[in-house]
Amino acid sequence: MAMQDEALLRIVDRVYDSILSPEDHGLVLDEVMRVTNSHFMVLSAHRPNSPIQPLFAGDMTSRRLDGLAEYAAGAFATDPTAHFANKCPQGGLFATDHQIDRDQHAAHPHVKWNRHYLGNSHWTARFDVRDGMMFGVSVHSRSPDEPHAEDDRARFEMLFGHMARAWRVAGRKADLGSHRGAVMLLNGAGWVKGMSPAGQAMVESGQGFRVLQGELLPQDSRCRTPWREAVWRVSLPTGPDEEAMLIPHGDDRRPLAVTISAVSQTHAFGARARDILVRVVDRDAAAADMSRQLGNLWNLTPAEARLAQTLLDEDFALRRTAERLGIAYSTVRTQLASIFAKTETTSQPELTRLLARLSG
């Protein structure tokens, strides 16, 4: 390479330094473009075969901004780089002078789009896949008509390797050690990034979930397709922020109540990805814990604590509660009067608010 090794090493240092200094991401990207003789860059972080939410770097002229709006509106459908990424789930190198036939290059619709809006007709892209997530960078040649020289492409490949590693470090496993509930943090592909102690214990004991080759999955194979579909939807940039489902516990107890929530993460170089926070509630254990708390706080009898919990589950429908517990309606009213006295509440709405706060 003509570029001095020392200069490249300084850029590599800045790549890793920028993990802790996100405000320097733009400067690092400018350096990468400069040493690869590029004038525009596209970065992405996504689950393979899912919509890409790219980040753009370079001089944003009004023409380029118009072009990027057109790209988001549908021009991406002709982008051979995206097609390459989806066909190569293990990652790889894309270069227009290699992947697009020379005789068809000038007539290719996306080459025409690039030439009109970005001012070049050749670009080089690299993709790296780890833990089910794909990180990609595309650099556009400064020359209007020529592809990157081999030295420029070699520099880009070397720097991309460090950028991909820095991106993975920036999205490293979360520390959920202090979380009391059963919580799991997943990346957009459903792979585990971290678990709370309660979540770890639940998985290790086979209560509802297991980890298979890094992916969190329900123990019950019948639930795996709807589970993956729910995780997939929440992982999409335009998907719902939260979904909920019931997962079999693995024995005769009630199913686990599970929420799947999106957590927007900005990793290195501003490349965004949606992480997923999974919260699991063992409804039987939660009910038993609440009954103990009711007994400790207000000296409720086991029957009164069971009634309070059931009333909350049944929206304070007294007759339905009596049927569910198998007791007389008059017994429900008698026990409820005792609960009012012990908790120092005087109405069903007041007692409901108290129990709801206690149940979290």
Side-chain angles (χ1 to χ4, degrees):
M1 295 183 188
M3 176 69 61
Q4 293 182 358
D5 290 342
E6 185 177 342
L8 280 177
L9 290 176
R10 282 199 298 270
I11 298 175
V12 170
D13 287 342
R14 291 172 188 165
V15 165
Y16 292 108
D17 289 344
S18 70
I19 295 175
L20 299 177
S21 303
E23 65 275 8
D24 292 336
H25 288 159
L27 297 175
V28 172
L29 299 182
D30 287 343
E31 283 289 285
V32 174
M33 284 189 287
R34 182 180 63 80
V35 300
T36 60
N37 283 312
S38 305
H39 73 137
F40 197 76
M41 180 183 289
V42 183
L43 300 95
S44 64
H46 65 287
R47 184 175 179 172
N49 294 303
S50 69
I52 298 174
Q53 189 176 32
L55 171 75
F56 303 101
D59 185 16
M60 293 299 175
T61 63
S62 58
R63 170 173 285 194
R64 285 183 180 173
L65 290 173
D66 290 342
L68 298 181
E70 186 177 298
Y71 183 89
F76 62 84
T78 64
D79 187 350
T81 321
H83 294 305
F84 171 86
N86 288 333
K87 288 193 301 182
C88 301
Q90 300 306 313
L93 178 71
F94 173 92
T96 48
D97 53 324
H98 293 169
Q99 267 79 19
I100 301 178
D101 186 272
R102 179 173 298 182
D103 294 335
Q104 300 176 5
H105 180 268
H108 193 287
H110 201 69
V111 171
K112 288 183 175 180
W113 179 89
N114 266 269
R115 184 62 187 266
H116 179 72
Y117 287 111
L118 304 184
N120 67 278
S121 56
H122 283 281
W123 61 94
T124 301
R126 187 78 168 80
F127 298 93
D128 179 73
V129 179
R130 297 293 173 89
D131 297 336
M133 290 295 291
M134 178 174 283
F135 174 71
V137 178
S138 171
V139 287
H140 290 243
S141 173
R142 190 178 298 278
S143 169
D145 302 302
E146 297 297 325
H148 286 97
E150 288 304 316
D151 280 355
D152 296 332
R153 191 167 290 163
R155 293 185 198 108
F156 168 65
E157 284 227 62
M158 187 272 281
L159 291 171
F160 172 84
H162 292 287
M163 293 172 71
R165 190 173 297 112
W167 187 82
R168 292 195 299 272
V169 170
R172 58 190 176 274
K173 293 182 178 180
D175 181 11
L176 299 176
S178 62
H179 204 291
R180 295 176 60 189
V183 176
M184 299 84 159
L185 185 68
L186 315 180
N187 68 12
W191 289 49
V192 176
K193 295 181 67 174
M195 290 190 285
S196 67
Q200 182 78 37
M202 178 173 284
V203 169
E204 290 177 352
S205 62
Q207 297 181 51
F209 286 93
R210 65 181 297 188
V211 175
L212 184 63
Q213 296 181 340
E215 184 182 9
L216 183 71
L217 292 170
Q219 281 278 15
D220 191 329
S221 59
R222 295 170 298 179
C223 297
R224 290 179 185 172
T225 296
W227 168 262
R228 282 177 165 141
E229 289 174 349
V231 170
W232 171 275
R233 287 191 294 270
V234 174
S235 74
L236 299 177
T238 56
D241 290 331
E242 184 174 283
E243 293 211 5
M245 61 189 303
L246 297 176
I247 298 294
H249 199 294
D251 52 28
D252 294 333
R253 288 181 285 178
R254 290 189 297 173
L256 301 167
V258 182
T259 57
I260 306 165
S261 307
V263 181
S264 181
Q265 297 286 334
T266 300
H267 297 317
F269 318 112
R272 291 185 177 273
R274 271 187 136 180
D275 283 348
I276 295 169
L277 191 67
V278 176
R279 297 182 181 90
V280 183
V281 176
D282 183 336
R283 295 187 293 168
D284 289 323
D289 186 57
M290 183 176 177
S291 294
R292 286 192 296 272
Q293 292 183 62
L294 289 170
N296 293 334
L297 288 171
W298 293 292
N299 198 31
L300 299 189
T301 67
E304 290 168 347
R306 184 166 58 252
L307 174 64
Q309 175 67 52
T310 308
L311 284 169
L312 188 61
D313 290 343
E314 296 291 347
D315 296 325
F316 265 78
L318 300 189
R319 294 192 182 279
R320 195 163 63 235
T321 297
E323 292 174 3
R324 177 172 164 181
L325 291 176
I327 59 178
Y329 178 70
S330 59
T331 302
V332 169
R333 292 185 63 85
T334 299
Q335 291 180 352
L336 180 57
S338 177
I339 293 171
F340 280 142
K342 290 180 179 180
T343 58
E344 299 181 358
T345 55
T346 58
S347 67
Q348 290 184 10
E350 186 179 2
L351 180 58
T352 299
R353 288 194 294 271
L354 180 67
L355 296 177
R357 286 199 298 271
L358 185 62
S359 67

